[in-house]
Amino acid sequence: MKKLFCIALALCLVFALAACGEAESETSPTPNYDGVTPSDLLGPTPEPTPTPEPQPVQLLSVNGVNLVSNGQLTNIGFKGFSYADGVLTVTDVTLQSSDSSKPIIAWDGGDLEIVISGTVTLESSGGIPAISGGSNALTLSGDGTLTVNAADAAAFDVTGALTVGCVLNATGAPACSGSTVTAAEGHSVTANDGTTLSVA
């Protein structure tokens, strides 16, 4: 009787082990990677980060704060100033240079348009220009009034063309370092004697 019981127990154990092996092989088949791409294995990929659109200028700073750097927006703002697609809009600001080594507005790597809204006054000191753009052209426009004063420096340090389409009163040494100052349609240059530049 004991022998019969041991044989039955041994058979049950063999069948149980066999069943476990079959179940494991059924649930864990050998993977078949034929025709499978990495995206199939990893699931859907996240949307790529969009490439920022290059700006018409490579650098644009206000009082030393970069709004554009290396042709890309920095997403840093400056009160009273807003920039988009090569156009800097300045609204009702009175600003004195906070750093005697940096112009109030500086840009490079392309032409810039500044739209003046309301009353805007920019004053630089320490022999630093108020607005500096190197050999790039500058266009001033808008329905506001811009007053620019620079002590012992050019109010506008631009050797590219300066086109003025807003009311402007600028003083400096000189008022504009560029050779070409043009009034936009509907405006006229009323003074351009070296140290003073006025457009009405």
Side-chain angles (χ1 to χ4, degrees):
M1 185 76 169
K2 278 187 178 182
K3 279 188 183 181
L4 187 58
F5 181 72
C6 288
I7 291 172
L9 190 59
L11 284 174
C12 286
L13 187 58
V14 169
F15 286 130
L17 290 173
C20 287
E22 285 177 15
E24 187 176 336
S25 65
E26 287 175 10
T27 58
S28 304
T30 303
N32 178 4
Y33 293 114
D34 291 342
V36 176
T37 66
S39 62
D40 292 329
L41 298 175
L42 300 174
T45 57
E47 290 293 321
T49 302
T51 303
E53 291 188 16
Q55 294 299 309
V57 296
Q58 288 296 304
L59 170 72
L60 172 63
S61 68
V62 175
N63 241 7
V65 176
N66 287 343
L67 307 184
V68 177
S69 180
N70 295 321
Q72 302 294 331
L73 292 171
T74 62
N75 295 320
I76 299 174
F78 200 99
K79 186 177 180 181
F81 294 79
S82 62
Y83 171 83
D85 301 321
V87 178
L88 178 67
T89 301
V90 188
T91 305
D92 287 321
V93 169
T94 297
L95 188 59
Q96 295 177 331
S97 56
S98 62
D99 185 336
S100 61
S101 66
K102 294 185 172 86
I104 296 174
I105 298 174
W107 86 98
D108 201 3
D111 299 339
L112 180 68
E113 179 178 359
I114 300 177
V115 178
I116 303 299
S117 179
T119 301
V120 176
T121 302
L122 306 176
E123 296 182 349
S124 67
S125 58
I128 301 298
I131 299 175
S132 178
S135 61
N136 303 289
L138 174 61
T139 300
L140 299 174
S141 63
D143 56 6
T145 299
L146 173 62
T147 301
V148 182
N149 298 312
D152 303 319
F156 292 93
D157 183 22
V158 289
T159 56
L162 172 61
T163 304
V164 183
C166 68
V167 176
L168 170 67
N169 297 296
T171 59
C176 180
S177 62
S179 58
T180 305
V181 177
T182 305
E185 185 176 347
H187 293 80
S188 60
V189 176
T190 57
N192 188 6
D193 61 8
T195 58
T196 302
L197 173 61
S198 297
V199 175

